[in-house]
Amino acid sequence: MRSRRALKGAGALGLLALTATGCSGEASRLGMPEPISDQAERMLKLWQGSWIAAFSVGAVVWGLIIWAVLFHRKRSEDLPPQVRYNLPIEILYTAVPFVIIGVLFFYTARDENYVEKTTKNPQVTVDVTAFQWSWQFDYKEKVGGQEQTVASVVGTPVNPNGPAPRKPVLTIPTGETVRVRLHSNDVIHSFWVPALLYKKDVMPGFTNEFEFTAKKTGTYEGRCAELCGVDHSRMLFQLRVVTPAQYQSYINNAKAQAKAAGGAQ
């Protein structure tokens, strides 16, 4: 009796938890963060489609298992009819997996090409340099045909004998194509913002790059996703998405500060 009540209580709690996550939209995203870019939304749809395919195959397999258990269970000691093979069924369960793999491959390749696509003239270009154990963000613009750094943000790594660590902030605008170029000064790192549903390796001696277009303003956490040393877990940064006007004001202020600093020298 007690076990039955406990089971009912657990079921009620489970239903309440499922309802709560469903209302928040987390259940529909199957554990993924809420996407903030066009590319992230494409990856979320691929993730959801893959799970729908998996659930569909699982439902068919479990349905066949239950059907066999219920309708072909042992009823007597008589030996059932023996068959050597069923050619149509064997062709079916050989062909269907190839069709499923082909469909998944097509959508994966299509979405990968979309996510990894770069343009000739992105509206914002940022050089991201990873080092043990923080980040540097250099905003680039073409001045007189030459690319120059117009603003720079450098994080302060953890140092017991130095200044307090400072988490760098990467500021970008909504609705504009942002190119991120990745460099490393020492070992392999990985640039990861969970809200982008994407991460990219940062390797010494090689420049990796990707582009995205943010659609939602806000501040999102980022981190290194590659074990890079003793303070790997503290290699954090933030992605701040603002309106285009706020971004332009941020860049103008950075230019003015850099000009004032140069004049003071």
Side-chain angles (χ1 to χ4, degrees), residues 205-261:
F206 182 81
T207 301
N208 255 340
E209 61 182 15
F210 69 97
E211 293 181 3
F212 68 96
T213 304
K215 301 176 65 175
K216 299 178 181 180
T217 59
T219 301
Y220 307 94
E221 298 300 322
R223 55 185 58 88
C224 176
E226 186 76 26
L227 183 59
C228 58
V230 65
D231 283 324
H232 157 72
S233 62
R234 300 182 182 183
M235 194 169 169
L236 309 174
F237 67 94
Q238 287 182 328
L239 175 69
R240 186 163 68 98
V241 184
V242 298
T243 64
Q246 290 173 323
Y247 174 77
Q248 194 56 52
S249 176
Y250 169 78
I251 293 297
N252 291 338
N253 290 337
K255 289 179 179 178
Q257 290 176 6
K259 186 176 181 180

Side-chain angles (χ1 to χ4, degrees), residues 148-227:
Q148 296 182 2
T149 299
V150 295
S152 185
V153 177
V154 184
T156 304
V158 176
N159 185 352
N161 301 319
R166 180 166 63 93
K167 186 188 297 185
V169 179
L170 174 59
T171 303
I172 57 106
T174 59
E176 297 185 7
T177 302
V178 178
R179 175 176 294 177
V180 177
R181 295 193 300 225
L182 302 169
H183 315 271
S184 173
N185 283 347
D186 35 53
V187 299
I188 297 177
H189 301 277
S190 184
F191 181 91
W192 181 36
V193 179
L196 293 178
L197 277 63
Y198 184 85
K199 60 183 177 180
K200 194 86 166 179
D201 282 345
V202 189
M203 298 179 287
F206 182 81
T207 301
N208 255 340
E209 61 182 15
F210 69 97
E211 293 181 3
F212 68 96
T213 304
K215 301 176 65 175
K216 299 178 181 180
T217 59
T219 301
Y220 307 94
E221 298 300 322
R223 55 185 58 88
C224 176
E226 186 76 26
L227 183 59

Side-chain angles (χ1 to χ4, degrees), residues 12-264:
L13 288 174
L15 181 61
L16 179 62
L18 182 61
T19 304
T21 55
C23 291
S24 67
E26 185 177 352
S28 65
R29 297 194 301 271
L30 298 166
M32 284 289 190
E34 185 176 357
I36 63 168
S37 70
D38 294 336
Q39 291 77 4
E41 287 186 353
R42 178 66 70 90
M43 285 184 281
L44 176 61
K45 290 178 181 178
L46 177 63
W47 175 252
Q48 291 170 324
S50 300
W51 273 103
I52 290 172
F55 284 136
S56 301
V57 172
V60 171
V61 171
W62 276 103
L64 291 173
I65 292 174
I66 294 171
W67 173 75
V69 168
L70 294 178
F71 296 99
H72 291 276
R73 64 187 184 277
K74 183 177 180 180
R75 292 184 173 87
S76 68
E77 298 299 328
D78 296 336
L79 188 67
Q82 303 297 297
V83 294
R84 298 176 62 184
Y85 58 86
N86 187 310
L87 187 59
I89 291 180
E90 292 190 8
I91 293 176
L92 180 66
Y93 67 61
T94 302
V96 168
F98 279 99
V99 173
I100 295 173
I101 292 171
V103 172
L104 290 175
F105 179 83
F106 168 79
Y107 284 106
T108 300
R110 184 200 66 176
D111 293 345
E112 182 181 5
N113 289 335
Y114 177 78
V115 170
E116 295 291 340
K117 181 178 63 177
T118 56
T119 58
K120 290 184 178 179
N121 297 300
Q123 293 159 294
V124 177
T125 300
V126 184
D127 274 5
V128 175
T129 303
F131 57 91
Q132 293 176 316
W133 286 273
S134 194
W135 305 84
Q136 177 174 334
F137 306 132
D138 295 318
Y139 297 82
K140 301 290 185 177
E141 283 187 5
K142 286 187 176 180
V143 180
Q146 298 290 328
E147 192 175 73
Q148 296 182 2
T149 299
V150 295
S152 185
V153 177
V154 184
T156 304
V158 176
N159 185 352
N161 301 319
R166 180 166 63 93
K167 186 188 297 185
V169 179
L170 174 59
T171 303
I172 57 106
T174 59
E176 297 185 7
T177 302
V178 178
R179 175 176 294 177
V180 177
R181 295 193 300 225
L182 302 169
H183 315 271
S184 173
N185 283 347
D186 35 53
V187 299
I188 297 177
H189 301 277
S190 184
F191 181 91
W192 181 36
V193 179
L196 293 178
L197 277 63
Y198 184 85
K199 60 183 177 180
K200 194 86 166 179
D201 282 345
V202 189
M203 298 179 287
F206 182 81
T207 301
N208 255 340
E209 61 182 15
F210 69 97
E211 293 181 3
F212 68 96
T213 304
K215 301 176 65 175
K216 299 178 181 180
T217 59
T219 301
Y220 307 94
E221 298 300 322
R223 55 185 58 88
C224 176
E226 186 76 26
L227 183 59
C228 58
V230 65
D231 283 324
H232 157 72
S233 62
R234 300 182 182 183
M235 194 169 169
L236 309 174
F237 67 94
Q238 287 182 328
L239 175 69
R240 186 163 68 98
V241 184
V242 298
T243 64
Q246 290 173 323
Y247 174 77
Q248 194 56 52
S249 176
Y250 169 78
I251 293 297
N252 291 338
N253 290 337
K255 289 179 179 178
Q257 290 176 6
K259 186 176 181 180

